[in-house]
Amino acid sequence: MELFQYKNNELYCEDVKVADLAKEFGTPLWVYSANKILHEYRAIQDAFEEVDPVVCYSVKSNSNLSILRLLNGAGCSFDVVSGGELYRVQHAGADTTRVVFAGVGKTDAEIRQALGQNILMFNVESEAELDAISRIAASMNRVAPVALRLNPDIDAKTHAKTTTGKKGNKFGMDIERHNALADKVLADPNLELRGIHMHLGSPINTTDPYEAAAKKALEVVTELRAKGHQTNWVNLGGGFGLNYRGTEAPPATEYAKVILPYIKEAECRLALEPGRSVCGNAGALISEVIFTKREGGKLFVIQDAAMNDLVRPAMYDSFHRIWPVNPKLAPPTDYEAEIEGCEATDVVGPICESGDYLAKGRHLPPLQRGDLLCTFSAGAYGTVMSSNYNSRPRGAEVLVKGSDVQLIRKRESYADLIEHELFALK
Ligand SMILES: *Cc1c(COP(=O)(O)O)cnc(C)c1O
């Protein structure tokens, strides 16, 4: 289901003209479709319905309070990786007893905060962290629910910066340490082993890594129970693919097909932590062309969104579809192909870095100053990774549902940029 669509050479988000939003709220502008977010969340919930999964939306992919509240209202739970994200989830009115907490560097204050909120479980990434949780739980007279994060040494075949389930990266622990720490939990009155956690990386456009992970989870849970653990949760993380280019990501039902048999056999509750696949294609970044220039045999389109807004192309070499908001040509089915009437164009921002681009050598129709561009699939890892580099205020965010438009984050002002700074006193 696509909710950003062209009708008569005009881009719509749901029932609203994107050009009207740009006029009202200015650019760069983040536009989200509420119904797309809900649709993608429900697609996952429905695909795994047989085992009544707890879908914990990964807050780090897009943490806007209105989006958290929207998902919370639909019955979604949350996966957090910091005290700040837990604070956001609380603020959005979520039931924190269904929240899971991952991350390799949880501080004492964050552990205390999470225990205070009675979270569902900590995804523990090391022995040192397990010891810290035990110590803090003891001081609060509590039993801390934990899952040990297994690094299953599965190659998810994704970008080097986003693969997490392979030997040699900082996440989780190998099976020997996992089993040793499980013994330690059993002997510790302040810890309870709720389950096993894995997160393989992102985005993963094949189902095999998940099948391997689910199979591994079944083996591990069986062993843990034989040792006397009450373990009854399997958390397979997130990382589900997203259609950045076309239809490269399998639908949720395909992932479910390979995962469900193992979960049913293990007789476990299933937790999932999807982020990108829920909000990625529900968001777009709208920008306005400032100048065009030809230099060194290349055509550059300089527009007002930059790497401080969307860093993914610079950071991960990622591909985002880009097309005008009011195009003279219908959008192509293949954005990577040469297109009749188009010219290879570098779409760049105003920042003083050669890495500041949204696309390189992209075939686009002729563009001029004032034209609006849409960068698609920007709903996940867009705003959350944005910065004020070059002292650029961040753009506004709007949430569209049908014909309803809500401003969910104000555009930053110059005053916002300097708000936390103080003049040093001699
Ligand atoms: C980032 C992350 C996720 C979400 O990954 P997506 O690709 O956005 O689905 C889930 N779990 C953990 C532990 C993560 O670090």
Side-chain angles (χ1 to χ4, degrees):
M1 186 174 80
E2 280 318 314
L3 286 165
F4 282 94
Q5 276 188 315
Y6 287 95
K7 292 173 212 161
N8 305 319
N9 293 342
E10 175 90 49
L11 180 63
Y12 284 76
C13 176
E14 303 206 10
D15 301 332
V16 177
K17 286 180 182 170
V18 170
D20 289 348
L21 296 174
K23 194 180 275 174
E24 183 173 355
F25 298 100
T27 53
L29 178 70
W30 302 91
V31 179
Y32 305 114
S33 155
N35 280 313
K36 177 71 171 172
I37 294 171
L38 293 172
H39 175 83
E40 294 304 327
Y41 157 64
R42 288 189 187 123
I44 297 168
Q45 193 74 45
D46 292 351
F48 291 90
E49 190 184 15
E50 248 185 288
V51 298
D52 188 22
V54 172
V55 176
C56 299
Y57 168 73
S58 173
V59 173
K60 79 173 194 278
S61 64
N62 189 319
S63 58
N64 185 288
L65 288 179
S66 291
I67 289 177
L68 301 184
R69 187 184 278 183
L70 178 74
L71 284 165
N72 185 54
C76 188
S77 187
F78 300 97
D79 158 42
V80 300
V81 294
S82 71
E85 287 189 352
L86 182 55
Y87 176 80
R88 281 182 176 276
V89 162
Q90 288 171 239
H91 221 74
D95 170 7
T96 52
T97 65
R98 300 203 310 150
V99 165
V100 297
F101 190 173
V104 297
K106 302 177 190 77
T107 64
D108 285 10
E110 287 175 322
I111 293 167
R112 221 172 282 121
Q113 178 191 357
L115 282 170
Q117 289 296 316
N118 292 311
I119 63 161
L120 180 58
M121 56 193 141
F122 291 91
N123 295 330
V124 176
E125 309 236 7
S126 65
E127 180 159 20
E129 181 191 334
L130 190 69
D131 293 345
I133 293 173
S134 169
R135 171 172 51 76
I136 294 163
S139 76
M140 293 171 73
N141 218 351
R142 295 281 303 279
V143 178
V146 299
L148 299 174
R149 179 167 179 177
L150 177 68
N151 183 329
D153 195 19
I154 292 169
D155 187 356
K157 303 217 163 47
T158 184
H159 192 278
K161 284 183 186 158
T162 57
T163 190
T164 57
K166 187 92 183 84
K167 195 170 175 171
N169 62 49
K170 71 176 178 182
F171 298 100
M173 57 193 80
D174 66 19
I175 188 69
E176 289 76 26
R177 194 179 311 276
H178 174 279
N179 293 343
L181 291 194
D183 290 344
K184 206 167 166 174
V185 171
L186 202 54
D188 188 330
N190 294 107
L191 296 174
E192 175 201 331
L193 192 63
R194 283 238 162 123
I196 178 169
H197 176 238
M198 287 180 246
H199 171 69
L200 306 173
S202 174
I204 305 172
N205 286 327
T206 53
T207 57
D208 305 3
Y210 289 95
E211 175 160 20
K215 188 169 176 218
K216 190 82 208 166
L218 169 62
E219 279 169 33
V220 172
V221 166
T222 307
E223 274 180 46
L224 290 172
R225 286 185 180 147
K227 285 193 201 169
H229 289 283
Q230 301 289 309
T231 305
N232 58 359
W233 282 88
V234 170
N235 180 346
L236 290 179
F240 303 126
L242 186 75
N243 290 324
Y244 282 107
R245 295 161 198 266
T247 54
E248 66 268 35
T253 46
E254 293 292 309
Y255 295 104
K257 204 186 288 173
V258 300
I259 292 171
L260 282 174
Y262 298 98
I263 303 304
K264 285 193 283 185
E265 194 177 337
E267 296 184 340
C268 274
R269 296 298 314 272
L270 175 68
L272 296 167
E273 304 170 337
R276 187 190 309 273
S277 59
V278 174
C279 59
N281 272 332
L285 174 60
I286 312 304
S287 60
E288 184 177 319
V289 175
I290 307 172
F291 300 119
T292 63
K293 78 186 242 185
R294 283 181 195 278
E295 200 58 53
K298 275 187 158 183
L299 172 62
F300 294 92
V301 165
I302 303 154
Q303 39 80 67
D304 63 4
M307 66 189 288
N308 75 296
D309 301 300
L310 181 65
V311 78
R312 299 189 69 257
M315 190 153 165
Y316 308 121
D317 313 305
S318 36
F319 180 95
H320 286 264
R321 282 173 287 124
I322 297 178
W323 203 249
V325 168
N326 297 104
K328 289 170 194 77
L329 289 173
T333 43
D334 179 359
Y335 282 77
E336 286 160 290
E338 285 193 23
I339 303 161
E340 175 96 20
C342 289
E343 183 176 348
T345 307
D346 282 12
V347 181
V348 304
I351 283 181
C352 304
E353 299 257 1
S354 297
D356 178 29
Y357 65 91
L358 297 181
K360 281 188 170 171
R362 191 65 64 78
H363 285 260
L364 288 173
L367 291 165
Q368 58 188 26
R369 182 179 175 84
D371 284 349
L372 294 171
L373 287 179
C374 179
T375 300
F376 293 92
S377 310
Y381 306 105
T383 50
V384 285
M385 296 179 89
S386 66
S387 76
N388 292 123
Y389 188 36
N390 278 211
S391 285
R392 289 169 45 84
R394 273 174 274 231
E397 294 174 60
V398 295
L399 184 65
V400 175
K401 191 170 189 192
S403 56
D404 181 53
V405 176
Q406 301 281 337
L407 178 64
I408 61 171
R409 192 174 198 268
K410 293 188 273 188
R411 179 173 305 284
E412 288 175 346
S413 65
Y414 288 155
D416 291 329
L417 292 179
I418 59 171
E419 194 195 351
H420 294 284
E421 289 170 45
L422 305 168
F423 283 110
L425 296 175
K426 281 225 191 91

